Amino acid sequence: MPLGKVSLAGYRAELAEGRRFLTRARLLLGITVMVMMTNGIDQGWASVLLPVHGREALGGATALGLLIALFGGFALLGPCSTERLG
């Protein structure tokens, strides 16, 4: 795709083309809707429920920060170890 000036009409045309493609490919549509729903649920959990849990059960922002750092660290460690072992 050549780099150049992007117009709003061109963007809308490409967006409509992608939507038509997804409606024809039912499996991809299902996967897309499922991922959108799980991302929406995850956002609610991460932005509302996790801080409340951190305050009420973990004892504050420091423990919550450690928990989030551990999530990120193990999310990185998993693929690295799988690639190294496999």
Side-chain angles (χ1 to χ4, degrees):
M1 183 171 178
L3 295 176
K5 204 156 187 158
V6 179
S7 69
L8 184 59
Y11 173 75
R12 285 184 179 160
E14 288 183 13
L15 194 61
E17 179 184 351
R19 190 172 71 196
R20 283 191 300 272
F21 177 78
L22 276 178
T23 56
R24 286 191 307 264
R26 303 301 271 182
L27 179 62
L28 288 178
L29 178 63
I31 292 170
T32 302
V33 169
M34 179 188 67
V35 168
M36 287 173 60
M37 290 175 61
T38 56
N39 283 346
I41 291 168
D42 184 53
Q43 279 293 47
W45 175 77
S47 62
V48 176
L49 297 177
L50 191 58
V52 170
H53 179 70
R55 185 184 68 223
E56 300 293 326
L58 299 177
T62 304
L64 179 61
L66 179 62
L67 183 66
I68 292 172
L70 286 172
F71 283 169
F74 282 106
L76 180 63
L77 183 65
C80 290
S81 64
T82 301
E83 188 270 327
R84 189 173 182 99
L85 294 175

Coordinates of all heavy atoms in Angstrom, one line a residue:
M1 N 0.9 -1.2 0.0 CA 0.0 0.0 0.0 C 0.9 1.2 0.0 O 1.7 1.4 0.9 CB -0.9 0.0 1.2 CG -1.9 1.1 1.3 SD -3.0 0.8 2.7 CE -3.9 2.2 2.6
P2 N 0.8 2.1 -1.0 CA 1.6 3.2 -1.1 C 1.3 4.3 0.0 O 0.1 4.4 0.3 CB 1.4 3.8 -2.5 CG 0.0 3.3 -2.8 CD -0.1 2.0 -2.1
L3 N 2.3 4.9 0.5 CA 2.1 5.9 1.5 C 1.8 7.2 0.8 O 2.4 7.6 -0.2 CB 3.3 6.1 2.3 CG 3.7 5.0 3.2 CD1 5.0 5.3 3.9 CD2 2.7 4.6 4.2
G4 N 0.8 7.9 1.2 CA 0.4 9.1 0.6 C -0.7 9.8 1.4 O -0.9 9.5 2.6
K5 N -1.3 10.7 0.8 CA -2.4 11.5 1.5 C -3.6 10.6 1.7 O -4.0 9.9 0.8 CB -2.7 12.7 0.7 CG -3.3 13.8 1.6 CD -3.2 15.1 0.9 CE -3.7 16.1 1.9 NZ -3.3 17.3 1.9
V6 N -4.1 10.6 2.9 CA -5.2 9.7 3.3 C -6.5 10.6 3.4 O -6.4 11.7 4.1 CB -5.0 9.0 4.6 CG1 -6.2 8.2 5.0 CG2 -3.8 8.1 4.5
S7 N -7.5 10.3 2.7 CA -8.7 11.1 2.8 C -9.7 10.4 3.6 O -9.7 9.1 3.8 CB -9.3 11.3 1.4 OG -9.8 10.1 0.8
L8 N -10.7 11.1 4.1 CA -11.7 10.6 5.0 C -12.6 9.6 4.1 O -13.0 8.6 4.6 CB -12.6 11.7 5.6 CG -13.6 11.2 6.6 CD1 -13.0 10.5 7.7 CD2 -14.4 12.4 7.1
A9 N -12.9 10.0 2.9 CA -13.7 9.2 2.0 C -13.0 7.8 1.7 O -13.7 6.8 1.7 CB -14.0 9.9 0.7
G10 N -11.7 7.9 1.5 CA -11.0 6.6 1.3 C -11.0 5.7 2.5 O -11.1 4.5 2.4
Y11 N -10.8 6.4 3.7 CA -10.9 5.6 4.9 C -12.2 4.9 5.1 O -12.3 3.8 5.4 CB -10.5 6.5 6.1 CG -10.7 5.9 7.4 CD1 -9.8 4.9 7.9 CD2 -11.8 6.2 8.2 CE1 -9.9 4.3 9.1 CE2 -12.0 5.5 9.5 CZ -11.0 4.6 9.9 OH -11.2 4.0 11.1
R12 N -13.3 5.7 4.9 CA -14.6 5.1 5.0 C -14.9 4.0 4.1 O -15.5 3.0 4.4 CB -15.7 6.2 4.9 CG -15.8 7.1 6.1 CD -16.9 8.2 5.9 NE -17.0 9.0 7.1 CZ -17.5 10.2 7.1 NH1 -18.1 10.7 6.0 NH2 -17.6 10.9 8.2
A13 N -14.4 4.2 2.8 CA -14.6 3.1 1.8 C -13.8 1.8 2.2 O -14.4 0.7 2.1 CB -14.1 3.6 0.5
E14 N -12.6 2.0 2.8 CA -11.9 0.8 3.2 C -12.5 0.2 4.4 O -12.6 -1.1 4.6 CB -10.4 1.2 3.5 CG -9.6 1.4 2.3 CD -8.2 1.7 2.6 OE1 -7.8 1.5 3.7 OE2 -7.5 2.2 1.7
L15 N -13.1 1.0 5.3 CA -13.8 0.5 6.5 C -15.0 -0.3 6.1 O -15.3 -1.4 6.6 CB -14.1 1.6 7.4 CG -14.5 1.3 8.8 CD1 -13.4 0.6 9.6 CD2 -14.9 2.6 9.6
A16 N -15.8 0.2 5.1 CA -17.0 -0.4 4.6 C -16.6 -1.7 4.0 O -17.3 -2.7 4.1 CB -17.7 0.5 3.7
E17 N -15.5 -1.7 3.2 CA -15.1 -3.0 2.5 C -14.7 -4.0 3.6 O -15.1 -5.2 3.4 CB -13.9 -2.7 1.7 CG -13.3 -3.9 0.9 CD -12.0 -3.5 0.2 OE1 -11.7 -2.4 0.0 OE2 -11.4 -4.5 -0.3
G18 N -14.0 -3.6 4.6 CA -13.7 -4.6 5.7 C -14.9 -5.1 6.4 O -15.0 -6.3 6.7
R19 N -15.9 -4.3 6.6 CA -17.2 -4.7 7.2 C -17.9 -5.7 6.3 O -18.4 -6.7 6.8 CB -18.0 -3.5 7.6 CG -19.2 -4.0 8.5 CD -20.0 -2.8 9.0 NE -20.7 -2.2 7.9 CZ -21.2 -1.0 7.9 NH1 -21.1 -0.2 9.0 NH2 -21.9 -0.5 6.9
R20 N -17.9 -5.4 5.0 CA -18.6 -6.4 4.1 C -17.9 -7.7 4.1 O -18.5 -8.8 4.0 CB -18.6 -5.8 2.7 CG -19.7 -4.7 2.5 CD -19.8 -4.4 1.0 NE -18.6 -3.8 0.4 CZ -18.3 -2.5 0.4 NH1 -19.0 -1.6 1.0 NH2 -17.1 -2.2 -0.1
F21 N -16.5 -7.7 4.1 CA -15.8 -8.9 4.2 C -16.1 -9.7 5.4 O -16.3 -10.9 5.3 CB -14.3 -8.6 4.1 CG -13.4 -9.8 4.2 CD1 -13.2 -10.6 3.1 CD2 -12.8 -10.1 5.4 CE1 -12.5 -11.8 3.2 CE2 -12.0 -11.3 5.5 CZ -11.8 -12.1 4.4
L22 N -16.2 -9.1 6.6 CA -16.5 -9.8 7.8 C -17.9 -10.3 7.8 O -18.1 -11.4 8.3 CB -16.3 -8.8 9.0 CG -14.9 -8.7 9.6 CD1 -14.9 -7.7 10.7 CD2 -14.3 -10.0 10.0
T23 N -18.8 -9.7 7.2 CA -20.2 -10.2 7.2 C -20.3 -11.4 6.2 O -21.1 -12.3 6.4 CB -21.2 -9.1 6.8 OG1 -20.9 -8.6 5.5 CG2 -21.3 -8.1 7.8
R24 N -19.4 -11.5 5.2 CA -19.4 -12.7 4.4 C -18.7 -13.8 5.0 O -19.0 -15.0 4.8 CB -18.8 -12.3 3.0 CG -19.7 -11.5 2.1 CD -19.1 -11.4 0.7 NE -17.7 -10.9 0.7 CZ -17.3 -9.7 0.5 NH1 -18.2 -8.7 0.3 NH2 -16.0 -9.4 0.4
A25 N -17.6 -13.6 5.8 CA -16.9 -14.6 6.4 C -17.4 -14.8 7.8 O -16.9 -14.1 8.8 CB -15.4 -14.2 6.4
R26 N -18.3 -15.7 8.0 CA -19.0 -15.8 9.3 C -18.1 -16.2 10.4 O -18.3 -15.8 11.6 CB -20.2 -16.8 9.1 CG -21.2 -16.5 8.1 CD -21.8 -15.2 8.3 NE -23.0 -15.3 9.1 CZ -23.8 -14.4 9.4 NH1 -23.5 -13.2 9.0 NH2 -24.8 -14.6 10.2
L27 N -17.1 -17.1 10.2 CA -16.2 -17.5 11.2 C -15.4 -16.3 11.7 O -15.3 -16.1 12.9 CB -15.3 -18.6 10.7 CG -14.3 -19.1 11.7 CD1 -14.9 -19.7 12.9 CD2 -13.3 -20.1 11.1
L28 N -14.9 -15.5 10.8 CA -14.1 -14.3 11.2 C -15.0 -13.3 11.9 O -14.5 -12.6 12.9 CB -13.5 -13.7 10.0 CG -12.3 -14.4 9.4 CD1 -11.8 -13.7 8.1 CD2 -11.2 -14.6 10.4
L29 N -16.2 -13.2 11.5 CA -17.2 -12.3 12.2 C -17.4 -12.8 13.7 O -17.3 -12.0 14.6 CB -18.5 -12.2 11.5 CG -19.6 -11.3 12.1 CD1 -19.1 -9.9 12.2 CD2 -20.9 -11.5 11.4
G30 N -17.6 -14.1 13.8 CA -17.8 -14.6 15.2 C -16.5 -14.4 16.1 O -16.6 -14.0 17.2
I31 N -15.4 -14.6 15.5 CA -14.1 -14.4 16.2 C -14.0 -12.9 16.6 O -13.6 -12.6 17.7 CB -12.9 -14.9 15.4 CG1 -13.0 -16.4 15.3 CG2 -11.6 -14.5 16.1 CD1 -11.9 -17.0 14.4
T32 N -14.3 -12.0 15.6 CA -14.1 -10.6 15.9 C -15.1 -10.1 17.0 O -14.7 -9.4 17.9 CB -14.4 -9.8 14.6 OG1 -13.5 -10.3 13.6 CG2 -14.3 -8.3 14.8
V33 N -16.3 -10.6 17.0 CA -17.3 -10.2 18.0 C -16.9 -10.8 19.3 O -16.9 -10.0 20.4 CB -18.7 -10.7 17.6 CG1 -19.7 -10.5 18.7 CG2 -19.2 -9.9 16.4
M34 N -16.4 -12.0 19.4 CA -16.0 -12.6 20.6 C -14.8 -11.8 21.2 O -14.8 -11.5 22.4 CB -15.6 -14.0 20.4 CG -15.1 -14.7 21.7 SD -14.4 -16.3 21.4 CE -12.9 -16.0 20.5
V35 N -13.8 -11.5 20.4 CA -12.6 -10.7 20.9 C -13.1 -9.3 21.4 O -12.6 -8.8 22.4 CB -11.6 -10.7 19.8 CG1 -10.5 -9.7 20.2 CG2 -10.9 -12.0 19.6
M36 N -14.0 -8.7 20.7 CA -14.5 -7.4 21.1 C -15.2 -7.5 22.4 O -15.0 -6.6 23.3 CB -15.4 -6.8 20.0 CG -14.7 -6.3 18.8 SD -15.8 -5.8 17.5 CE -16.7 -4.5 18.2
M37 N -16.0 -8.5 22.6 CA -16.7 -8.6 23.9 C -15.7 -8.9 25.1 O -15.8 -8.3 26.1 CB -17.7 -9.7 23.8 CG -18.9 -9.4 22.9 SD -20.1 -10.7 22.7 CE -20.6 -11.0 24.3
T38 N -14.7 -9.8 24.8 CA -13.8 -10.1 25.9 C -12.9 -9.0 26.2 O -12.6 -8.7 27.4 CB -13.0 -11.4 25.6 OG1 -12.3 -11.2 24.4 CG2 -13.8 -12.6 25.5
N39 N -12.5 -8.2 25.2 CA -11.7 -7.0 25.5 C -12.6 -5.9 26.3 O -12.0 -5.3 27.2 CB -11.2 -6.3 24.2 CG -10.1 -7.1 23.6 OD1 -9.5 -7.9 24.3 ND2 -9.8 -6.8 22.4
G40 N -13.8 -5.8 26.0 CA -14.7 -4.9 26.7 C -14.9 -5.3 28.2 O -14.8 -4.5 29.1
I41 N -15.0 -6.6 28.4 CA -15.2 -7.1 29.8 C -13.8 -6.9 30.5 O -13.8 -6.5 31.7 CB -15.6 -8.6 29.7 CG1 -17.0 -8.7 29.2 CG2 -15.5 -9.2 31.1 CD1 -17.4 -10.1 28.9
D42 N -12.7 -7.2 29.8 CA -11.4 -7.0 30.5 C -11.2 -5.6 30.8 O -10.6 -5.3 31.9 CB -10.3 -7.6 29.5 CG -9.0 -7.5 30.2 OD1 -8.8 -8.0 31.3 OD2 -8.1 -6.9 29.6
Q43 N -11.6 -4.7 30.0 CA -11.4 -3.2 30.3 C -12.2 -2.9 31.6 O -11.7 -2.1 32.4 CB -11.8 -2.3 29.1 CG -10.8 -2.2 28.1 CD -9.6 -1.5 28.6 OE1 -9.0 -1.7 29.6 NE2 -9.1 -0.6 27.8
G44 N -13.4 -3.4 31.7 CA -14.2 -3.1 32.9 C -13.5 -3.6 34.1 O -13.5 -3.0 35.2
W45 N -13.0 -4.8 34.0 CA -12.3 -5.5 35.1 C -11.0 -4.7 35.5 O -10.8 -4.4 36.7 CB -11.9 -6.9 34.7 CG -11.1 -7.6 35.8 CD1 -11.6 -8.2 37.0 CD2 -9.7 -7.9 35.8 NE1 -10.6 -8.7 37.6 CE2 -9.4 -8.6 37.0 CE3 -8.7 -7.6 34.9 CZ2 -8.1 -9.0 37.3 CZ3 -7.4 -8.0 35.2 CH2 -7.1 -8.7 36.4
A46 N -10.2 -4.3 34.5 CA -9.0 -3.7 34.8 C -9.1 -2.3 35.3 O -8.3 -1.8 36.1 CB -8.1 -3.7 33.6
S47 N -10.1 -1.6 34.8 CA -10.2 -0.1 35.2 C -11.1 0.1 36.4 O -11.0 1.1 37.0 CB -10.7 0.7 34.0 OG -12.0 0.2 33.6
V48 N -12.0 -0.8 36.8 CA -12.9 -0.6 37.9 C -12.7 -1.6 39.0 O -12.4 -1.3 40.1 CB -14.4 -0.7 37.4 CG1 -15.3 -0.5 38.6 CG2 -14.7 0.4 36.4
L49 N -12.8 -2.9 38.6 CA -12.8 -3.9 39.7 C -11.4 -4.2 40.3 O -11.2 -4.4 41.5 CB -13.4 -5.2 39.1 CG -14.8 -5.2 38.7 CD1 -15.3 -6.5 38.1 CD2 -15.7 -4.8 39.9
L50 N -10.4 -4.2 39.4 CA -9.0 -4.4 39.9 C -8.6 -3.3 40.9 O -8.0 -3.7 42.0 CB -8.1 -4.6 38.8 CG -6.7 -5.1 39.1 CD1 -6.8 -6.5 39.8 CD2 -5.8 -5.2 37.9
P51 N -8.7 -2.0 40.7 CA -8.3 -1.0 41.7 C -9.1 -1.2 43.0 O -8.6 -1.0 44.1 CB -8.6 0.3 41.0 CG -8.5 0.0 39.5 CD -9.0 -1.4 39.4
V52 N -10.4 -1.5 42.9 CA -11.2 -1.7 44.1 C -10.7 -2.8 44.9 O -10.5 -2.8 46.1 CB -12.7 -1.8 43.8 CG1 -13.5 -2.2 45.0 CG2 -13.2 -0.5 43.2
H53 N -10.4 -3.9 44.2 CA -9.8 -5.1 44.9 C -8.5 -4.8 45.5 O -8.1 -5.2 46.6 CB -9.7 -6.3 43.8 CG -9.1 -7.5 44.4 ND1 -9.8 -8.3 45.3 CD2 -7.9 -8.1 44.2 CE1 -9.0 -9.3 45.7 NE2 -7.8 -9.2 45.0
G54 N -7.7 -4.0 44.7 CA -6.4 -3.6 45.3 C -6.5 -2.8 46.5 O -5.7 -3.0 47.5
R55 N -7.4 -1.9 46.6 CA -7.6 -1.1 47.8 C -8.2 -1.9 48.9 O -7.8 -1.8 50.1 CB -8.6 0.1 47.5 CG -8.7 1.0 48.6 CD -9.7 2.2 48.4 NE -11.0 1.6 48.3 CZ -11.9 1.9 47.3 NH1 -11.6 2.8 46.4 NH2 -13.1 1.3 47.3
E56 N -9.2 -2.7 48.6 CA -10.0 -3.4 49.7 C -9.2 -4.7 50.2 O -9.2 -4.9 51.4 CB -11.3 -3.9 49.2 CG -12.2 -2.7 48.8 CD -12.6 -1.8 49.9 OE1 -12.8 -2.3 51.0 OE2 -12.8 -0.6 49.7
A57 N -8.7 -5.5 49.3 CA -8.1 -6.8 49.7 C -6.6 -6.8 49.7 O -6.0 -7.5 50.5 CB -8.6 -7.9 48.8
L58 N -5.9 -6.0 48.9 CA -4.5 -6.1 48.8 C -3.8 -5.1 49.6 O -2.6 -5.2 49.9 CB -4.0 -6.0 47.3 CG -4.6 -7.0 46.4 CD1 -4.1 -6.7 44.9 CD2 -4.1 -8.4 46.8
G59 N -4.4 -4.0 50.0 CA -3.8 -3.1 50.9 C -3.3 -1.8 50.3 O -2.7 -1.0 50.9
G60 N -3.6 -1.6 49.0 CA -3.2 -0.3 48.4 C -2.6 -0.4 47.0 O -2.6 -1.5 46.4
A61 N -2.1 0.8 46.6 CA -1.7 0.9 45.2 C -0.4 0.1 45.0 O -0.1 -0.4 43.9 CB -1.5 2.3 44.8
T62 N 0.5 0.0 46.0 CA 1.8 -0.7 45.8 C 1.5 -2.2 45.5 O 2.2 -2.7 44.6 CB 2.6 -0.5 47.1 OG1 2.8 0.8 47.4 CG2 4.0 -1.2 46.9
A63 N 0.7 -2.8 46.2 CA 0.4 -4.2 46.0 C -0.3 -4.4 44.6 O 0.0 -5.4 43.9 CB -0.5 -4.8 47.1
L64 N -1.2 -3.5 44.2 CA -1.8 -3.5 42.9 C -0.8 -3.4 41.8 O -0.8 -4.1 40.8 CB -2.9 -2.5 42.8 CG -3.6 -2.4 41.5 CD1 -4.3 -3.7 41.2 CD2 -4.6 -1.2 41.4
G65 N 0.2 -2.5 42.0 CA 1.2 -2.3 41.0 C 2.1 -3.5 40.9 O 2.5 -3.9 39.8
L66 N 2.4 -4.2 42.0 CA 3.2 -5.4 42.0 C 2.4 -6.5 41.2 O 2.9 -7.3 40.4 CB 3.5 -5.9 43.4 CG 4.3 -7.2 43.5 CD1 5.6 -7.1 42.8 CD2 4.4 -7.5 45.0
L67 N 1.1 -6.6 41.5 CA 0.2 -7.6 40.8 C 0.2 -7.4 39.3 O 0.4 -8.3 38.5 CB -1.2 -7.5 41.4 CG -2.2 -8.5 40.9 CD1 -1.8 -9.9 41.3 CD2 -3.6 -8.2 41.4
I68 N 0.1 -6.1 38.9 CA 0.1 -5.8 37.5 C 1.4 -6.1 36.8 O 1.5 -6.6 35.7 CB -0.4 -4.4 37.2 CG1 -1.9 -4.2 37.6 CG2 -0.2 -4.0 35.8 CD1 -2.4 -2.8 37.6
A69 N 2.5 -5.8 37.6 CA 3.9 -6.1 37.1 C 4.1 -7.6 36.9 O 4.7 -8.0 35.9 CB 4.9 -5.5 38.0
L70 N 3.6 -8.3 37.9 CA 3.7 -9.8 37.7 C 2.9 -10.3 36.6 O 3.3 -11.2 35.9 CB 3.2 -10.5 39.0 CG 4.1 -10.4 40.2 CD1 3.5 -10.9 41.5 CD2 5.4 -11.1 39.9
F71 N 1.7 -9.8 36.3 CA 0.9 -10.2 35.1 C 1.7 -10.0 33.9 O 1.8 -10.8 33.0 CB -0.4 -9.4 35.0 CG -1.5 -9.8 36.0 CD1 -2.6 -9.0 36.1 CD2 -1.4 -11.0 36.6 CE1 -3.7 -9.4 37.0 CE2 -2.5 -11.4 37.5 CZ -3.6 -10.6 37.6
G72 N 2.3 -8.8 33.8 CA 3.1 -8.4 32.6 C 4.3 -9.3 32.5 O 4.7 -9.7 31.4
G73 N 5.0 -9.5 33.6 CA 6.2 -10.3 33.5 C 6.0 -11.7 33.1 O 6.7 -12.3 32.3
F74 N 5.0 -12.3 33.7 CA 4.7 -13.7 33.3 C 4.0 -13.8 31.9 O 4.2 -14.8 31.2 CB 3.8 -14.4 34.3 CG 4.5 -14.8 35.5 CD1 4.4 -14.1 36.7 CD2 5.4 -15.9 35.5 CE1 5.1 -14.5 37.8 CE2 6.1 -16.3 36.6 CZ 6.0 -15.6 37.8
A75 N 3.4 -12.7 31.5 CA 2.9 -12.7 30.1 C 4.0 -12.7 29.1 O 3.9 -13.2 28.0 CB 2.0 -11.5 29.9
L76 N 5.1 -12.1 29.5 CA 6.3 -12.1 28.6 C 7.1 -13.4 28.8 O 7.7 -13.9 27.8 CB 7.2 -10.9 29.0 CG 8.5 -10.7 28.2 CD1 8.2 -10.5 26.7 CD2 9.3 -9.5 28.8
L77 N 7.2 -13.9 30.0 CA 8.0 -15.1 30.2 C 7.4 -16.3 29.5 O 8.1 -17.2 29.1 CB 8.0 -15.3 31.7 CG 8.8 -16.5 32.2 CD1 10.3 -16.3 31.9 CD2 8.7 -16.7 33.7
G78 N 6.1 -16.4 29.5 CA 5.4 -17.6 28.8 C 5.8 -17.8 27.4 O 6.3 -18.9 27.1
P79 N 5.6 -16.8 26.5 CA 6.1 -17.0 25.1 C 7.6 -17.2 25.0 O 8.0 -18.0 24.1 CB 5.6 -15.8 24.4 CG 4.6 -15.2 25.3 CD 4.9 -15.6 26.7
C80 N 8.4 -16.5 25.8 CA 9.8 -16.7 25.7 C 10.3 -18.1 26.1 O 11.1 -18.7 25.4 CB 10.5 -15.7 26.6 SG 10.4 -14.0 26.0
S81 N 9.7 -18.7 27.2 CA 10.0 -20.0 27.6 C 9.5 -21.0 26.6 O 10.1 -22.1 26.3 CB 9.5 -20.3 29.0 OG 8.1 -20.2 29.0
T82 N 8.3 -20.8 26.0 CA 7.8 -21.7 25.1 C 8.6 -21.8 23.8 O 8.9 -22.9 23.3 CB 6.3 -21.3 24.7 OG1 5.5 -21.3 25.9 CG2 5.7 -22.3 23.7
E83 N 9.1 -20.6 23.4 CA 10.0 -20.6 22.2 C 11.3 -21.3 22.5 O 11.8 -22.0 21.7 CB 10.2 -19.1 21.8 CG 10.9 -18.9 20.5 CD 12.4 -18.9 20.7 OE1 12.9 -18.4 21.7 OE2 13.1 -19.3 19.7
R84 N 11.8 -21.1 23.7 CA 13.1 -21.7 24.0 C 13.0 -23.2 24.2 O 13.9 -24.0 23.8 CB 13.6 -21.1 25.3 CG 15.0 -21.4 25.6 CD 15.5 -20.6 26.8 NE 16.9 -20.9 27.1 CZ 17.9 -20.2 26.7 NH1 17.7 -19.1 26.1 NH2 19.1 -20.6 27.1
L85 N 11.9 -23.7 24.8 CA 11.7 -25.1 25.0 C 11.2 -25.9 23.8 O 11.5 -27.0 23.6 CB 10.7 -25.4 26.1 CG 11.1 -24.9 27.5 CD1 9.9 -25.1 28.5 CD2 12.3 -25.6 28.0
G86 N 10.5 -25.2 22.9 CA 9.9 -25.9 21.8 C 10.7 -25.7 20.6 O 10.8 -26.4 19.6

